[in-house]
Amino acid sequence: MRVYIPATFGMLRELNDNRVVTARSGWGFAVTPALNEFYTAGDEEEIAHAAFQDAAEASIRLLAIGDEAEFPYRRVVISADIDDARVTLASENGESVVGIVPARIDLEDVAAIHIDVEASEADTKKAIGVIDESDLGQEDAELVVGDAQDNFMAWYDPNELPFLVELL
């Protein structure tokens, strides 16, 4: 199953150094039966994009914690192909939320890496400041987070990981 793992640049560094990274709290996002039911229209790609967007928003929450020193305003999502037996459905936490057991993601399972481009940093910084209010349904905050979510995330092949952590 393709699972989208919210991450930070520090987690990419960990993945590069150890060839493994741990999904925070053991959660990821994927196309689940609940997500398919939620969308009455749309093809597989559009529904997968919704799960990806949920992971990108969760990356904003990770950045809000403030433990990312190198790139504190860039969302990161790791797309990984994980054996279905390791994925548990957790739709009570959101239609696309899945548990990953064990929470360890091996580099060999990574299909792609997605990182905010530099031009997106200002919007992501604003979103970090209002993510809690957005989660509580405050409309202005939801719009700010939406602006960050609308930004392009660059796609990288997993083979490019060593160059990303060295050159970015």
Side-chain angles (χ1 to χ4, degrees):
M1 172 180 277
R2 176 64 53 92
V3 179
Y4 305 102
I5 313 297
T8 63
F9 197 81
M11 292 172 71
L12 288 183
R13 212 171 264 299
E14 176 186 342
L15 180 61
N16 185 60
D17 293 347
N18 304 324
R19 302 190 59 78
V20 66
V21 68
T22 301
R24 293 279 177 101
S25 302
W27 299 107
F29 299 85
V31 175
T32 64
L35 188 63
N36 277 318
E37 280 183 32
F38 183 79
Y39 286 95
T40 57
D43 61 20
E44 285 182 36
E45 189 174 312
E46 290 170 318
I47 296 171
H49 182 70
F52 176 88
Q53 286 291 90
D54 288 344
E57 186 171 331
S59 178
I60 294 172
R61 289 184 190 91
L62 292 178
L63 293 170
I65 295 168
D67 64 355
E68 172 57 44
E70 196 166 357
F71 289 102
Y73 308 120
R74 289 201 192 181
R75 298 170 299 158
V76 175
V77 174
I78 299 169
S79 296
D81 293 323
I82 299 175
D83 187 299
D84 289 356
R86 294 183 49 210
V87 178
T88 59
L89 302 179
S91 60
E92 67 276 0
N93 294 322
E95 289 84 8
S96 65
V97 177
V98 295
I100 305 164
V101 180
R104 167 189 166 114
I105 309 301
D106 294 315
L107 181 57
E108 66 190 31
D109 296 330
V110 174
I113 299 165
H114 314 269
I115 305 173
D116 263 338
V117 295
E118 185 176 358
S120 301
E121 288 184 346
D123 287 339
T124 300
K125 182 178 181 179
K126 289 176 191 172
I128 290 167
V130 298
I131 190 70
D132 290 338
E133 290 86 352
S134 175
D135 287 343
L136 294 171
Q138 184 192 41
E139 188 175 342
D140 288 344
E142 288 175 340
L143 292 172
V144 170
V145 171
D147 288 344
Q149 287 286 80
D150 287 343
N151 286 322
F152 173 75
M153 292 181 78
W155 177 95
Y156 298 94
D157 186 274
N159 294 325
E160 297 176 278
L161 180 60
F163 306 106
L164 282 171
V165 298
E166 182 180 324
L167 299 176
L168 269 184

